[in-house]
Amino acid sequence: MYSDVFRHWTRRVWCAQALEVSVGKVHFVEVMNGSSVLLPCTYSSCIGIKNLYFNWQYNDNGTMVKICEAVIPTELVEPNVKIYHERVEFVGSSKESNISILLWNVTFEDEGEYTCFARNPKEKDRNHSAIFTLIVVDQLREVDNTLTIIIVSVIGGVIGLVIIIMVIKAVVVHILNKAQEKNKECLVSSSGNDNTENGLSGSKAETKASPKVIC
């Protein structure tokens, strides 16, 4: 029972989202003159669509010029798109909630803002739009990797320094361990010689020189 209530509540929360169109996380693209470019746009609606109307418009110095338009009857029916631009092709699909277009042979005059608009009668004509900016250049700019190279060099230097410190530490510890072992051997040898001398007679002990332990 509680699980059914929870699912019903989460479904109501999820369905609170109304019609929304999106051109992606990056709202602009830079392309070379003479190339082709995709103008992306997708839509989403929690309760679904019915006779969804959409269009693409270009902002020509403040005047909105319609590029294409269509009505999508349902989610599984492909629209009959009317195109008003000779170099534009509709490449979307209602099955994927995609209403993207492709612009061929881009010119400098094509640079500017393109608006993707949608209206859903099933949501009491709820509408939404998103803007995608097209930048046209003679040639694409080379990516400056200087900062990346510096960062990689610094990281490599730090790693190398850490390795050197660890090697030096290991060598020092090894030398200290060897020195401690040698000192222990010297102490044992010296103790054995002292016991031997203490066991000799007084006259022999006096005449015999004490052995020297060199370490």
Side-chain angles (χ1 to χ4, degrees), residues 112-184:
E113 294 182 346
Y114 291 79
T115 301
C116 177
F117 171 86
R119 182 177 64 245
N120 188 16
K122 193 173 182 178
E123 298 181 71
K124 297 181 179 181
D125 283 337
R126 160 77 181 184
N127 63 79
H128 192 245
S129 63
I131 297 176
F132 190 78
T133 303
L134 176 63
I135 303 172
V136 183
V137 296
D138 280 328
Q139 59 182 6
L140 296 179
R141 292 174 293 182
E142 295 183 0
V143 179
D144 188 1
N145 295 324
T146 303
L147 181 59
T148 303
I149 295 174
I150 293 175
I151 294 175
V152 172
S153 300
V154 171
I155 294 176
V158 172
I159 294 175
L161 180 61
V162 171
I163 294 175
I164 293 174
I165 292 174
M166 292 177 66
V167 171
I168 294 175
K169 181 180 178 180
V171 172
V172 171
V173 171
H174 179 73
I175 294 174
L176 292 176
N177 289 336
K178 287 292 184 179
Q180 289 179 356
E181 292 176 0
K182 190 173 182 181
N183 290 335
K184 289 180 180 179

Side-chain angles (χ1 to χ4, degrees), residues 68-100:
C68 68
E69 64 180 344
V71 173
I72 304 177
T74 61
E75 286 89 345
L76 301 179
V77 178
E78 297 298 340
N80 182 19
V81 183
K82 296 179 181 179
I83 298 177
Y84 309 113
H85 193 297
E86 60 182 3
R87 290 183 288 109
V88 166
E89 177 185 354
F90 179 74
V91 293
S93 172
S94 60
K95 297 178 182 179
E96 300 175 354
S97 302
N98 190 325
I99 49 177
S100 303

Side-chain angles (χ1 to χ4, degrees), residues 37-48:
V37 60
L38 176 70
L39 304 182
C41 186
T42 59
Y43 63 86
S44 60
S45 175
C46 181
I47 65 174

